[in-house]
Amino acid sequence: MEEDVSIQTIAINHSKCDERECLTDSCEAIEEHRKEVMRFSEIHFFSNVYSAAFLPNGDAQKQRDTVFHESLNDLKGRVTLDHPDILIPSKYRHEAPWQPAQKYLSLLACYKSPTGKLSCVLKCVYTIFKLLFVGAAGDTILDGRTDDSSVPGADDLLPVLIYVIIHANPPHIISTIEFINNFTPQYITGQDSYMLMQFTGAVEFIKTMLHNQ
């Protein structure tokens, strides 16, 4: 309770609201400023404890991530759009190799807060969905169809997401997922939770690919 009051007081000082009007939960302006204060507090906190929070198991965890990263480098050259483990349908290949989605994964290392890393992951997945929709919609229009075939689903997303993760190959991807799950579960709900689940599932599938090769 004391923490909430302190955050609210800071937010009031940085907003244009009258303090007497803002000391209620119904003030939208103060809620937005509260979120901003929480975000900056999180960034500041994790900047100070990042190494211990991100790699709590030290060298052993770092070595695990390095082995996975190097394995993906070897796998990258063999994983094409026609790879038998993913078999991406032709109607979704127009935007390959989905560079905008890969770009978000390349930014993961720039963030030290769990919500910052989560934002990169979610933007990656949402971007793929948008690109899949654009590609499929184009094929549907060219074929003269007006059905729901232009709407990509989870089965369409996963192969492309696997491809994007392998080719982007961001460092410490396993630790990144653990970091997000350890420190942001209360923030992840609804569609964002579903997207994170898809991303985690893609990484698990890649582990299976590496194990079976």
Side-chain angles (χ1 to χ4, degrees), residues 88-159:
I88 298 171
S90 59
K91 67 178 180 178
Y92 293 128
R93 297 182 181 186
H94 301 295
E95 304 298 328
W98 302 279
Q99 287 292 354
Q102 291 194 43
K103 181 196 73 174
Y104 286 118
L105 294 186
S106 71
L107 294 174
L108 279 169
C110 300
Y111 292 87
K112 293 186 177 181
S113 70
T115 52
K117 291 183 183 294
L118 173 63
S119 175
C120 291
V121 168
L122 294 180
K123 286 177 180 177
C124 168
V125 182
Y126 279 115
T127 298
I128 292 174
F129 247 128
K130 291 177 183 177
L131 294 175
L132 292 181
F133 182 84
V134 169
D139 273 3
T140 301
I141 294 171
L142 290 174
D143 292 344
R145 291 181 281 110
T146 57
D147 54 30
D148 292 333
S149 61
S150 64
V151 181
D155 291 341
D156 304 311
L157 169 68
L158 189 60

Side-chain angles (χ1 to χ4, degrees), residues 3 6 24 27 30 39 48 69 77 91 96 115 120 127 148 151 158 161 169 176 186 192 197-198 207 211 213:
E3 180 182 3
S6 298
T24 66
C27 179
I30 194 64
R39 186 172 71 86
N48 292 324
H69 183 73
K91 67 178 180 178
T115 52
C120 291
T127 298
D148 292 333
V151 181
L158 189 60
L161 186 53
N169 193 14
T176 295
Q186 68 273 28
D192 287 351
M197 182 177 65
Q198 293 297 314
K207 289 180 183 178
H211 178 75
Q213 68 177 356

Side-chain angles (χ1 to χ4, degrees), residues 34-111:
R34 190 204 304 268
K35 290 178 181 178
E36 282 297 294
V37 172
M38 290 294 290
R39 186 172 71 86
F40 283 114
S41 296
E42 179 190 10
I43 291 171
H44 177 73
F45 175 79
F46 280 100
S47 293
N48 292 324
V49 300
Y50 182 69
S51 295
F54 186 69
L55 296 171
N57 294 319
D59 290 341
Q61 188 173 348
K62 188 181 298 185
Q63 179 63 22
R64 178 202 62 184
D65 289 346
T66 299
V67 170
F68 189 74
H69 183 73
E70 292 174 350
S71 297
L72 288 200
N73 272 336
D74 294 337
L75 187 63
K76 186 187 302 186
R78 301 193 298 275
V79 174
T80 65
L81 301 176
D82 294 312
H83 191 281
D85 286 342
I86 54 177
L87 292 176
I88 298 171
S90 59
K91 67 178 180 178
Y92 293 128
R93 297 182 181 186
H94 301 295
E95 304 298 328
W98 302 279
Q99 287 292 354
Q102 291 194 43
K103 181 196 73 174
Y104 286 118
L105 294 186
S106 71
L107 294 174
L108 279 169
C110 300
Y111 292 87

